[in-house]
Amino acid sequence: MTDSSPTPVDRDALPDVISRYLTAHNAGDGQASAALMTADAQVTDDGRTYDGLPDIQRWLNRAASEYTYTTTYRGAVRDAADHWTITQRLDGNFPGGTVDLRYAFTLDGDLISRLVIAP
């Protein structure tokens, strides 16, 4: 019997694609963020799902220009071989001003096939 509980990991142990995504996304670089996703990727943020790269690129561009914020890495767990959850704190000029968000990644090889962002 194997233990299926999530495993905490250090930031430097994250898969390269997740590290690169977080760096690009936190910098507001929608093009670089989208380049790390599969063509049929899905992103869910704020209760809305974006399907496929064109829809995701529009979401990334809007998200990058809507608010100004800084991020602080809070931790990560490996939920399964291809599932990782990263927590970041955002501080900025959005309603509420501060929020801890979970970024639940599903990987397909070296790319992101699914991302769910939620408090």
Side-chain angles (χ1 to χ4, degrees):
M1 185 169 164
T2 60
D3 182 7
S4 62
S5 61
T7 304
V9 295
D10 292 328
R11 185 175 183 139
D12 60 356
L14 292 174
D16 183 59
V17 68
I18 292 176
S19 293
R20 290 173 39 220
Y21 175 85
L22 291 173
T23 298
H25 186 74
N26 292 344
D29 189 340
Q31 184 174 357
S33 299
L36 300 168
M37 299 186 168
T38 62
D40 61 347
Q42 282 190 328
V43 173
T44 301
D45 181 35
D46 242 0
R48 180 160 178 217
T49 299
Y50 305 90
D51 291 302
L53 286 181
D55 204 19
I56 290 170
Q57 287 175 319
R58 282 189 293 278
W59 162 75
L60 286 164
N61 291 334
R62 181 188 52 78
S65 65
E66 194 169 21
Y67 299 109
T68 302
Y69 58 88
T70 59
T71 59
T72 305
Y73 177 84
R74 306 281 290 178
V77 295
R78 184 176 185 180
D79 303 301
D82 59 349
H83 294 273
W84 299 74
T85 302
I86 287 59
T87 303
Q88 293 196 118
R89 172 163 288 167
L90 277 65
D91 293 293
N93 65 348
F94 52 86
T98 299
V99 66
D100 284 347
L101 293 178
R102 290 183 327 274
Y103 294 71
F105 290 90
T106 301
L107 304 182
D108 182 357
D110 292 333
L111 295 174
I112 299 162
S113 61
R114 180 101 173 97
L115 172 58
V116 177
I117 304 171

